[in-house]
Amino acid sequence: MESRSRSMHKLTAKICPFLFLFLAHAAHCFYLPGVAPEDFHKGDPLKVKVNKLTSIKTQLPYSYYSLPFCPPKKIVDSTENLGEVLRGDRIENSPYVFKMREPQMCTVLCRITLDAKTAKQFKEKIDDEYRVNMILDNLPLIVPIRRSDQDSSTVYQLGYHVGLKGQYSGSKEERYFIHNHLAFTVKYHRDPQSDSARIVGFEVKPYSIKHEYEGEWNEKSRLTTCDPHNKRTVVSSNTPQEVEAKKEIIFTYDVEYQESDVKWASRWDAYLLMNDDQIHWFSIVNSLMIVLFLSGMVAMIMLRTLYRDISRYNELETQEEAQEETGWKLVHGDVFRPPSNSDLLCVYVGTGVQFLGMVLVTMIFAVFGFLSPSNRGGLMTAMLLLWVFMGIFAGYASARLYKMFKGAEWKKLAFRTACMFPGIVFAIFFVLNAIIWGQKSSGAVPFGTMFALVLMWFGISVPLVFVGGYVGFKKPAIEDPVKTNKIPRQIPEQAWYMNPTFSILIGGILPFGAVFIELFFILTSIWLNQFYYIFGFLFLVFIILLITCAEITIVLCYFQLCSEDYLWWWRSYLTSGSSALYLFLYATFYFFTKLEITKLVSGLLYFGYMLIASYAFFVLTGTIGFYACFWFTRLIYSSVKID
């Protein structure tokens, strides 16, 4: 079931109608547009495309032709979706010419002579360990690396390094060498009936070699270091090509074709198993089971305690007997008093509903295979579009709560709901984009894309929030189960452990504990340029997060009401929302322990984006906790007799 699950939703983009029932065989399947298999016959041309240059040390992508690599006669940009542009992808054509199942040996791409500027560019990219990314038939280029440990298995890395640093024997001076010879391997799965083939693998072994030739260079010159006529090919980098001004570099490549038993539906296995050895499945499952067990215990304790409290209160005959009881019934006349800054609370709750809807629908699509890694940029595009269309639920939720608080200016509230969270995120994003633009990185979002984002925001999201706000405000106001006293009750002095700051910070630990292991893999996929595909498992973790946020908030809210503190509105939001603080602290820990970022600009980008992620996590978890506590208080106060 494990391997079948992998084949179906991480690799193939086949969407089966009964996938959610985990049936082994589906009656009908179809392919997503753009990721359908393509059949090639012998001699068919294969389009090799180049993508961005990436580095885990700088996190700043650059276009392939920002370095003086061999260009084609005309550089043509591929059409990219919104998610690809935001990821910094810049997919362009290349001068590499492949023909299906026709091997090539030592094909000369071009010859360039470095000047001081281009030599410096190459050295900087080699220093920062930049990788070159290419694409063939929608498959990214990978480099197979043989491990030296006991199992001697092969691991794969995305893209090949621009070059490397080293020293000549007998010298201590560090030199820069470029990978100027690429030995490509195209793996294919052949159909014996039609003799057509599908590409199932795209690998490369890069070499650095100082090519030599006789006489003056011209188009017909033959290399002595790499000659197909004499069947002499590059097998090592013993005489590497140094990067220095006024030195010439000759770029060459080989193409080898290997028939493979791997079928097209499983061709992404090598990519998604790159770090399989780092996935501690038993540790993850164990942590999740502990969280489930603790949550179940908390729920049982709460149900038994509340049942006993309600039964005891309803059996009391006199007010004097009730006064002898300490607890939550004593604040029934104040518990539904509108909080301070109630408008802001409505805005945040509405935004949280919008975010919750976006996350739920996105995960459902991902679990069904619509957002597989083969659909580059699909995940981010889906999240943005869903965020925009979920605005109607944001307006509705905020307006319903606002009317319960006796609010009257619903249009003003709807505008704040539509603009506050996206406005803060957009401001941070704009500053970060300006920083990236200053570095001349392809990761900078173009003006046209930025305009499209603003148009989606104000052209679709804002009107939908107003529509939701109008519908929500026209609904009858939510009735409180008990009447609110005109004069607020004095809150007695609280024990140290019921201090708002302390209880809020304590409340965020358990929700964070439910996701922090999965968070490690998510951060790794984002910042170490790896694929994340375990959406089914992520969906399970998300459901556990919902349950944990709800239960820990209810528990602490119950203790707060028992201490005769009725100011629960904001505290319920902040209790589970405080898990975002732990997320940001963990991101800081991850930065200093797992990443090798040394540049100030890259550090600013990392913490800027993680601040946005933490803010979004705060809004999401806070809203879950608020609604859990809202339901809980209404339930318990409608279940007792109030004289």
Side-chain angles (χ1 to χ4, degrees):
M1 191 64 189
E2 173 88 2
S3 60
R4 183 174 295 278
S5 166
R6 281 181 177 164
S7 295
M8 293 185 70
H9 97 145
K10 57 180 177 175
L11 319 175
T12 79
K14 284 184 178 179
I15 312 303
C16 300
F18 301 110
L19 182 62
F20 64 92
L21 295 177
F22 298 100
L23 293 182
H25 300 285
H28 301 284
C29 292
F30 61 91
Y31 292 102
L32 288 177
V35 291
E38 187 173 355
D39 295 319
F40 298 95
H41 293 85
K42 187 174 182 179
D44 286 350
L46 304 179
K47 295 180 180 179
V48 180
K49 298 182 180 181
V50 292
N51 201 351
K52 60 189 176 184
L53 307 175
T54 56
S55 168
I56 61 174
K57 293 184 70 174
T58 69
Q59 303 296 333
L60 292 170
Y62 288 89
S63 65
Y64 177 82
Y65 294 111
S66 63
L67 288 179
F69 287 117
C70 304
K73 292 181 180 179
K74 182 182 179 181
I75 299 176
V76 180
D77 291 330
S78 297
T79 304
E80 294 152 349
N81 59 42
L82 181 60
E84 286 178 306
V85 175
L86 294 177
R87 279 164 30 108
D89 286 347
R90 296 296 180 267
I91 303 173
E92 299 159 311
N93 61 329
S94 76
Y96 294 95
V97 179
F98 291 7
K99 290 188 177 180
M100 189 64 179
R101 293 158 61 189
E102 292 185 2
Q104 301 176 51
M105 182 183 294
C106 201
T107 304
V108 177
L109 204 59
C110 73
R111 169 183 170 271
I112 65 171
T113 302
L114 299 179
D115 55 24
K117 181 181 178 181
T118 53
K120 183 182 178 183
Q121 288 178 320
F122 272 121
K123 288 180 179 180
E124 288 176 348
K125 295 297 185 289
I126 293 172
D127 254 332
D128 291 331
E129 299 179 7
Y130 269 87
R131 292 176 175 272
V132 178
N133 294 282
M134 296 184 179
I135 300 171
L136 176 64
D137 191 36
N138 205 39
L139 274 181
L141 180 68
I142 55 177
V143 179
I145 299 175
R146 194 76 174 176
R147 295 183 56 170
S148 57
D149 54 11
Q150 294 180 352
D151 59 2
S152 297
S153 60
T154 302
V155 295
Y156 299 92
Q157 294 182 346
L158 277 175
Y160 68 91
H161 283 110
V162 173
L164 56 119
K165 293 189 290 185
Q167 299 157 343
Y168 289 115
S169 59
S171 173
K172 293 185 179 180
E173 185 179 359
E174 197 167 48
R175 299 283 185 173
Y176 294 83
F177 305 101
I178 187 172
H179 286 136
N180 60 323
H181 179 83
L182 303 177
F184 292 104
T185 301
V186 178
K187 296 184 177 181
Y188 63 92
H189 183 79
R190 190 171 65 90
D191 183 0
Q193 295 181 346
S194 62
D195 200 40
S196 63
R198 293 177 177 177
I199 296 174
V200 296
F202 185 33
E203 301 177 1
V204 69
K205 289 184 179 179
Y207 297 98
S208 178
I209 180 167
K210 185 178 181 181
H211 284 302
E212 297 177 355
Y213 54 90
E214 297 177 355
E216 293 293 325
W217 176 265
N218 57 61
E219 293 182 358
K220 297 182 180 180
S221 295
R222 289 171 57 175
L223 302 176
T224 58
T225 48
C226 179
D227 190 357
H229 298 86
N230 297 327
K231 295 186 178 180
R232 184 174 184 180
T233 185
V234 178
V235 293
S236 68
S237 299
N238 292 333
T239 55
Q241 173 63 59
E242 190 175 342
V243 177
E244 283 296 339
K246 298 181 180 179
K247 289 203 173 189
E248 67 174 13
I249 301 177
I250 299 175
F251 290 91
T252 56
Y253 67 95
D254 302 331
V255 185
E256 178 189 2
Y257 293 88
Q258 289 182 3
E259 188 169 357
S260 173
D261 293 330
V262 177
K263 294 184 179 180
W264 186 89
S266 302
R267 66 178 188 163
W268 276 84
D269 281 9
Y271 299 84
L272 302 180
L273 296 179
M274 286 180 187
N275 284 313
D276 202 37
D277 58 306
Q278 296 183 12
I279 300 179
H280 308 290
W281 287 102
F282 290 107
S283 175
I284 296 174
V285 173
N286 184 56
S287 297
L288 294 179
M289 292 304 294
I290 291 174
V291 171
L292 279 173
F293 175 75
L294 290 176
S295 300
M297 292 296 293
V298 166
M300 289 177 61
I301 293 170
M302 288 302 302
L303 288 173
R304 293 186 61 183
T305 305
L306 274 175
Y307 180 77
R308 187 173 62 250
D309 280 354
I310 292 172
S311 299
R312 184 186 302 134
Y313 280 137
N314 288 340
E315 289 173 1
L316 297 177
E317 296 180 356
T318 65
Q319 186 68 22
E320 289 75 13
E321 289 178 330
Q323 290 293 340
E324 292 176 4
E325 294 289 339
T326 180
W328 47 272
K329 188 183 176 184
L330 300 181
V331 294
H332 67 84
D334 299 275
V335 74
F336 293 106
R337 187 181 305 280
S340 57
N341 297 318
S342 58
D343 292 6
L344 184 62
L345 180 63
C346 295
V347 169
Y348 269 110
V349 169
T351 304
V353 169
Q354 184 178 9
F355 205 88
L356 178 62
M358 179 200 74
V359 173
L360 275 176
V361 178
T362 301
M363 285 195 180
I364 290 172
F365 274 107
V367 168
F368 283 178
F370 283 94
L371 303 176
S372 67
S374 59
N375 186 14
R376 281 186 309 276
L379 180 64
M380 191 170 293
T381 303
M383 291 178 68
L384 284 172
L385 292 176
L386 285 170
W387 168 266
V388 166
F389 289 110
M390 289 294 169
I392 191 168
F393 297 105
Y396 181 84
S398 59
R400 289 283 284 158
L401 193 61
Y402 182 68
K403 190 169 185 178
M404 191 185 76
F405 291 149
K406 307 296 189 293
E409 300 178 352
W410 71 270
K411 294 180 181 178
K412 182 179 178 181
L413 178 80
F415 183 77
R416 290 180 66 186
T417 304
C419 296
M420 185 172 175
F421 176 82
I424 294 173
V425 171
F426 187 81
I428 299 173
F429 176 74
F430 188 83
V431 172
L432 295 178
N433 194 63
I435 294 174
I436 300 173
W437 193 277
Q439 297 294 313
K440 299 180 180 179
S441 167
S442 66
V445 177
F447 174 78
T449 305
M450 193 75 77
F451 179 76
L453 291 174
V454 174
L455 191 64
M456 288 170 58
W457 178 10
F458 286 99
I460 303 176
S461 180
V462 173
L464 286 177
V465 172
F466 272 87
V467 170
Y470 173 80
V471 174
F473 199 76
K474 286 297 182 182
K475 291 276 186 179
I478 301 173
E479 295 290 336
D480 295 332
V482 290
K483 293 183 179 179
T484 301
N485 297 333
K486 293 182 178 180
I487 302 175
R489 177 188 178 92
Q490 185 175 358
I491 299 174
E493 186 176 349
Q494 301 293 304
W496 66 270
Y497 52 84
M498 290 306 299
N499 179 276
T501 304
F502 180 79
S503 63
I504 286 171
L505 291 177
I506 289 295
I509 294 177
L510 195 57
F512 172 75
V515 299
F516 88 97
I517 295 179
E518 199 66 19
L519 181 64
F520 169 81
F521 298 108
I522 294 174
L523 291 178
T524 300
S525 69
I526 294 173
W527 299 107
L528 295 182
N529 198 27
Q530 296 173 9
F531 289 107
Y532 184 89
Y533 67 94
I534 322 173
F535 292 110
F537 197 82
L538 181 62
F539 186 73
L540 174 63
V541 172
F542 181 69
I543 297 300
I544 293 174
L545 174 66
L546 298 185
I547 297 171
T548 310
C549 285
E551 290 187 347
I552 194 64
T553 308
I554 289 173
V555 170
L556 293 180
C557 180
Y558 175 72
F559 290 152
Q560 179 186 351
L561 295 176
C562 287
S563 300
E564 301 177 34
D565 182 356
Y566 52 83
L567 302 178
W568 63 272
W569 296 95
W570 272 108
R571 197 188 289 195
S572 64
Y573 197 100
L574 297 174
T575 295
S576 53
S578 65
S579 56
L581 173 63
Y582 296 103
L583 187 151
F584 189 78
L585 292 176
Y586 180 77
T588 305
F589 171 79
Y590 184 88
F591 177 84
F592 288 107
T593 58
K594 299 296 181 183
L595 300 182
E596 300 178 6
I597 294 176
T598 55
K599 293 188 177 182
L600 177 61
V601 170
S602 304
L604 289 174
L605 292 178
Y606 177 85
F607 285 105
Y609 285 126
M610 290 313 302
L611 182 63
I612 293 176
S614 301
Y615 185 33
F617 195 71
F618 165 75
V619 172
L620 172 66
T621 54
T623 300
I624 297 167
F626 171 81
Y627 272 116
C629 207
F630 182 72
W631 166 82
F632 172 73
T633 51
R634 294 181 64 82
L635 178 66
I636 63 174
Y637 284 101
S638 61
S639 301
V640 297
K641 300 173 184 177
I642 304 295
D643 296 328

